[in-house]
Amino acid sequence: MGAACSSPEDMAEEKYLEREKDQRLMDALNTHHEKHKSTVRILLLGAGECGKSTILKQMKILHKGGFTKEERDEQIGIIRSNTIDSMKQLILGCLDLQLAIEEKWEAFADDFLKIDNDRMLSLYERDMVISIWENSETIRAAVARRSDFYLLDSFRYFLDRVRVIFKPDYKPTNQDILQSRVATKGIVETKFVIADVPFVMYDVGGQRGQRKKWIHCFEGCRAIMFVASLSEYDQVLIEDPNKNRMIDSLTLFEGILSLVWFSFTPVILFLNKNDVFQEKIKVSELGRIFGDYHGGFDAKAGESPKILRVDFPSD
């Protein structure tokens, strides 16, 4: 029995094919590297409920053709839950502030606190929510003191739209979706293109306590966009009622600036929720929290760029 061996021609062919395979792999890696290098990666950071997710939604509307039917359908339950939760928060706020709800709504308010957030309201429940929201002096008094208890920023928007939101054939508008709120869990990545330049925005949620363990993974980002809510100057943290939310945001911002991984990374400070801020400053004095503000309840004084920057460091 003879042993078979490759001819010099066969060996040359194998080497050629191997070199071709290696070259294709290198070309693919180089293409991936160039594509990755040309992509502008932006890391969104900020305290909870500052509006990071809303920015991603806006990018989707402006640069990705908006929301799919499936995405809009997913939002229906979230928006209805936000609406129900807004009324519950107001009722609980009345209890915390020892404001007695009017007798004709008292029993309903007690029962309403027990319903699930993720269900459709009956016509009776819908009409009662509308009635309380539009007519209760106690609820109005609670709204005026909303900085004393937790309340969704978009509560007014949703409660004004109860009739629409709880229609059986309800379809969320872009504005409805922008106003909706659900806690971000894990990493949300949004890709879009502006003027042929690819962008990727990362929103990282639900990991605050472990931030120093993972944040170095984003060292290669082209920029950090730190989002701060202007309207939270008179609010406290849910998990720590003794800590002001804007002071907490300032602390977080300063901590991000001190991280060695981002020593040479541009940081964009995005001051969000100015519309809510402009409404709130008329009834809740900014000077109570930031002593260098002397504009009282003057909303126009609050429009000054110097005031809007408050104490966020700029270098």
Side-chain angles (χ1 to χ4, degrees), residues 215-233:
I215 199 166
H216 66 278
C217 297
F218 293 94
E219 186 176 1
C221 282
R222 191 75 61 87
I224 292 173
M225 181 181 287
F226 189 91
V227 185
S229 170
L230 288 170
S231 64
E232 63 187 11
Y233 68 88

Side-chain angles (χ1 to χ4, degrees), residues 42-47 50 55 223-230 232 246 249-250 252-254 256-257 265-272 305-315:
I42 299 175
L43 176 60
L44 286 178
L45 293 176
C50 64
I55 291 174
I224 292 173
M225 181 181 287
F226 189 91
V227 185
S229 170
L230 288 170
E232 63 187 11
M246 185 169 278
S249 187
L250 279 163
L252 174 57
F253 183 63
E254 290 169 350
I256 296 299
L257 292 182
T265 304
V267 178
I268 303 162
L269 175 60
F270 189 93
L271 298 173
N272 201 19
K306 181 180 177 182
I307 294 301
L308 293 182
R309 284 197 296 268
V310 278
D311 290 335
F312 283 93
S314 57
D315 48 39

